[in-house]
Amino acid sequence: MSPLNSSNPCLPKTHFLKVPTFDPFFKFKSFSFNTHIPPNRAHALSFSINSKLKSSQDIQNNKGKKGVSQKIVLSEVTPPPLTENNDDINGGSGNGNENVPAKSRNKRGVSGLAKMLSKRTLQILSNLPLAIGEMFTIAALMALGTFIDQGEPPEHYFQQYPEDHPVLGFFTWRWVLALGFDHMYSSPVFLGMLVLLGASLMACTYTTQIPLVKVSRRWSFLHSAETIRKQEFSESLPRASIEDVGTILMGSGYEVFLKGPCLYAFKGLAGRLAPIGVHIALLLIMAGGTLSALGSFKGSVTVPQGLNFVAGDVLGPTGFLSSPNEDFNTEIHVNRFFMDYYDSGEVSQFHSDLSLFNMDGKEVMRKTISVNDPLRYGGITIYQTDWSISALQILKNNEGPYNLAMAPLQINGDKKLYGTFMPIGDVNSSDVKGISMLARDLQSIVLYDADGKFAGIRRPNSKLPININGTEIVILDAIGSSGLDLKTDPGVPIVYAGFGALMLTTCISYLSHSQVWALQDGTSVVIGGKSNRAKMEFPEEMNRLLDKVPEIVQSSLSEQAGGIRG
């Protein structure tokens, strides 16, 4: 800066700080003061100096140009580097954005708005009351799914929830069908709640759990004895060495870091990682459940003994993620169907002997299944769920055998009744009469004559004839039908993995994360620490460990002091 002409009457007597006025290669140096300013009252002092030095020659040479404006900041921190003002460089009078392309300003505005919206969305989704409300809503929908019969035809809901007698005064079949409650676990309402809960879990993990883990992994030293004494646990050991404290902590499973007179130690970091694992496990369970609802195949079939069917002809998709595979071409043959009975004669268990054949006709698997003992092959699971009687095989007057189809007459839970009719005489007559045969199971057949009177009971395979209205009948066999449910569920392994991870991470989350700080203060050691869970056990553990720290005798202290002075 050139010296000022004091003879100029236009200039007052003013003292200016000698600073670079407009050189981008220079930067301000920080100012240091000896005066102590409390942290809560520290502030920056700033003022502006606007220098406009004009002469007649300057006015002619610099006509239309503005003066140089500088701002000097006095602070305890290093000020930012001096930069040119866009107004001064460009001679403009705006806010410095006049020469910035409008497209760039729009991009910055859009990106800033997007960041603000994403941050606000994360704050809303990571709200704990919202997540709890989502979980309760999902639980309520699941309970409602157990109350409402699933997968039934619309006529069933017309009868169960009629409009003239609504449940709770408003709930009718219209609600069931409109909201998809007849297939609750694949309904848009249920899947939408799962997606919302998954988003809340991911937002909480991103905004809360991951930052906590990052902070927990950082090891930092405390250089003030007063700060250490403010921890949840604190103790002072006279005539002790910080190296001995570190050795004792290492022996107790702590990770120990030592730097000069300062020590930091921690253990149980897995307890900090466990909540993230819990969230991941819950996400796996929900993802597996969603895949099961939208990517599975299901089907039911009743097959008489001795017949077969193709798996793909029975299985139907449950959602847009369902994708068949080559195992759908497997042919399933029912070799035999039979039942077990209680002493009272009631059915106790029923079995199906199944054979599976590939496209080349080669048997690839054979197994006898029963209730709670399914067959699994190539992702297809076959369950034994039901039974019926398809036909009676008889001899009529030593002719045959003939197969008489059995029809269900009454089905009420386990109370089943099947019947058939064998005409006698002229079958073309308008008044056809015949012999009626009824069966509750495969054990015995009850026969009635043409007048409807009881004629007798015969067991299949007994080979005992019975004469009814001049016709001799022998019951050879009662042919049963196997009721099978087929299903493919690609989400099951994911759900099982999620539940396994949930149990493991839940147990790990109970591990406490403990931190210890220590400082060598002359001949004594100041120790402090805290724990996130074991609030009562942590002080007891620390006292037990500190009791093991050896005390340094006076001679050793003198030698150490002499070594330091030397």
Side-chain angles (χ1 to χ4, degrees):
M1 180 180 291
S2 60
L4 302 176
N5 189 358
S6 59
S7 63
N8 193 336
C10 299
L11 297 177
K13 294 183 178 180
T14 308
H15 298 282
F16 293 92
L17 291 176
K18 188 175 182 180
V19 296
T21 58
F22 206 81
D23 191 350
F25 298 97
F26 290 88
K27 296 179 173 61
F28 283 118
K29 296 183 180 180
S30 59
F31 297 88
S32 60
F33 302 92
N34 294 328
T35 306
H36 175 71
I37 301 177
N40 58 349
R41 299 186 62 185
H43 59 279
L45 304 177
S46 65
F47 59 91
S48 298
I49 301 175
N50 192 6
S51 176
K52 298 181 180 179
L53 309 180
K54 298 181 180 179
S55 64
S56 59
Q57 186 68 24
D58 295 333
I59 293 173
Q60 294 177 0
N61 296 336
N62 302 305
K63 185 176 295 184
K65 295 185 179 180
K66 292 187 175 182
V68 178
S69 178
Q70 296 292 341
K71 187 176 183 181
I72 302 175
V73 180
L74 304 182
S75 175
E76 288 189 305
V77 298
T78 303
L82 181 64
T83 58
E84 297 90 338
N85 191 313
N86 289 334
D87 293 347
D88 298 327
I89 297 175
N90 300 319
S93 59
N95 57 4
N97 291 329
E98 293 181 358
N99 294 332
V100 179
K103 187 176 181 180
S104 300
R105 292 202 303 268
N106 292 337
K107 285 184 177 180
R108 288 199 295 268
V110 171
S111 62
L113 180 61
K115 288 182 180 179
M116 182 185 69
L117 291 177
S118 61
K119 183 177 180 181
R120 181 59 179 167
T121 302
L122 288 174
Q123 289 177 349
I124 295 175
L125 289 176
S126 59
N127 185 269
L128 181 59
L130 175 63
I132 294 175
E134 293 164 355
M135 296 181 69
F136 273 106
T137 303
I138 292 174
L141 291 175
M142 294 175 66
L144 189 61
T146 60
F147 176 77
I148 300 175
D149 296 332
Q150 300 292 297
E152 299 293 337
E155 293 78 10
H156 174 81
Y157 305 103
F158 297 159
Q159 298 176 0
Q160 293 292 325
Y161 308 100
E163 290 186 310
D164 53 350
H165 293 89
V167 179
L168 301 178
F170 70 95
F171 193 81
T172 65
W173 61 268
R174 296 184 182 274
W175 287 86
V176 176
L177 299 182
L179 298 176
F181 288 170
D182 56 330
H183 50 280
M184 174 66 75
Y185 306 107
S186 60
S187 64
V189 176
F190 186 80
L191 295 179
M193 290 305 304
L194 287 182
V195 172
L196 187 58
L197 179 59
S200 295
L201 289 175
M202 289 188 287
C204 179
T205 302
Y206 178 76
T207 60
T208 304
Q209 299 300 335
I210 292 179
L212 283 177
V213 172
K214 289 182 178 179
V215 171
S216 301
R217 292 184 62 186
R218 296 175 187 158
W219 46 275
S220 58
F221 300 99
L222 297 181
H223 302 276
S224 171
E226 292 299 326
T227 305
I228 295 177
R229 289 190 179 97
K230 292 179 181 179
Q231 301 299 320
E232 296 176 359
F233 169 85
S234 64
E235 187 61 76
S236 181
L237 298 179
R239 297 188 298 275
S241 172
I242 197 169
E243 288 83 359
D244 295 335
V245 174
T247 302
I248 297 299
L249 292 175
M250 288 179 61
S252 185
Y254 281 83
E255 294 285 339
V256 178
F257 302 91
L258 189 62
K259 182 179 179 182
C262 302
L263 177 144
Y264 172 71
F266 73 90
K267 73 173 182 178
L269 186 60
R272 285 291 190 186
L273 294 171
I276 298 179
V278 171
H279 288 184
I280 294 175
L282 291 175
L283 291 173
L284 284 176
I285 294 173
M286 290 187 291
T290 303
L291 183 59
S292 297
L294 299 179
S296 301
F297 286 85
K298 294 181 180 180
S300 300
V301 63
T302 300
V303 186
Q305 176 180 299
L307 300 183
N308 51 22
F309 65 96
V310 177
D313 294 340
V314 176
L315 291 169
T318 60
F320 64 92
L321 297 178
S322 302
S323 178
N325 54 48
E326 60 181 9
D327 296 318
F328 280 42
N329 297 320
T330 302
E331 185 177 355
I332 303 168
H333 182 77
V334 180
N335 300 312
R336 181 171 174 251
F337 176 78
F338 59 98
M339 294 189 289
D340 298 333
Y341 302 92
Y342 293 111
D343 294 339
S344 61
E346 297 290 333
V347 177
S348 64
Q349 182 64 278
F350 36 99
H351 311 264
S352 295
D353 180 12
L354 305 179
S355 291
L356 276 62
F357 298 90
N358 59 18
M359 296 183 64
D360 299 329
K362 181 181 178 181
E363 186 179 53
V364 293
M365 188 176 184
R366 181 169 182 173
K367 180 180 179 180
T368 299
I369 67 172
S370 59
V371 178
N372 298 326
D373 185 19
L375 180 150
R376 293 181 174 89
Y377 174 77
I380 301 175
T381 306
I382 305 176
Y383 299 90
Q384 180 75 71
T385 57
D386 202 0
W387 64 272
S388 65
I389 304 176
S390 60
L392 284 180
Q393 192 175 73
I394 67 170
L395 289 176
K396 177 183 176 183
N397 296 326
N398 293 323
E399 295 179 356
Y402 300 102
N403 288 332
L404 301 178
M406 298 284 284
L409 303 179
Q410 176 184 351
I411 299 177
N412 183 16
D414 294 334
K415 305 297 183 181
K416 298 184 178 184
L417 182 64
Y418 297 86
T420 188
F421 179 79
M422 186 183 74
I424 57 176
D426 186 7
V427 296
N428 296 320
S429 173
S430 60
D431 186 17
V432 179
K433 293 186 177 181
I435 301 171
S436 302
M437 306 176 194
L438 301 179
R440 293 189 309 167
D441 49 43
L442 302 179
Q443 292 187 106
S444 58
I445 310 298
V446 180
L447 296 94
Y448 296 86
D449 62 13
D451 298 326
K453 296 181 180 180
F454 174 74
I457 299 176
R458 289 294 183 269
R459 290 182 177 274
N461 300 317
S462 65
K463 298 182 180 180
L464 294 176
I466 184 172
N467 195 300
I468 303 175
N469 298 123
T471 302
E472 185 179 87
I473 298 175
V474 177
I475 306 295
L476 296 179
D477 194 11
I479 302 174
S481 294
S482 177
L484 304 174
D485 277 3
L486 283 73
K487 183 174 70 171
T488 67
D489 195 343
V492 168
I494 302 176
V495 172
Y496 284 174
F499 273 111
L502 181 62
M503 291 187 289
L504 179 62
T505 53
T506 301
C507 294
I508 295 176
S509 65
Y510 284 98
L511 297 177
S512 60
H513 177 242
S514 303
Q515 296 174 280
V516 177
W517 292 270
L519 178 66
Q520 185 79 56
D521 188 8
T523 60
S524 62
V525 177
V526 181
I527 301 173
K530 63 180 181 178
S531 179
N532 66 333
R533 291 192 181 277
K535 301 297 184 180
M536 301 297 295
E537 293 81 2
F538 179 70
E540 298 177 0
E541 178 192 11
M542 290 303 303
N543 288 324
R544 185 172 64 254
L545 293 177
L546 296 182
D547 289 341
K548 300 179 182 179
V549 177
E551 182 179 1
I552 301 177
V553 297
Q554 188 66 31
S555 60
S556 299
L557 292 175
S558 301
E559 292 176 359
Q560 289 182 0
I564 294 174
R565 288 195 298 270

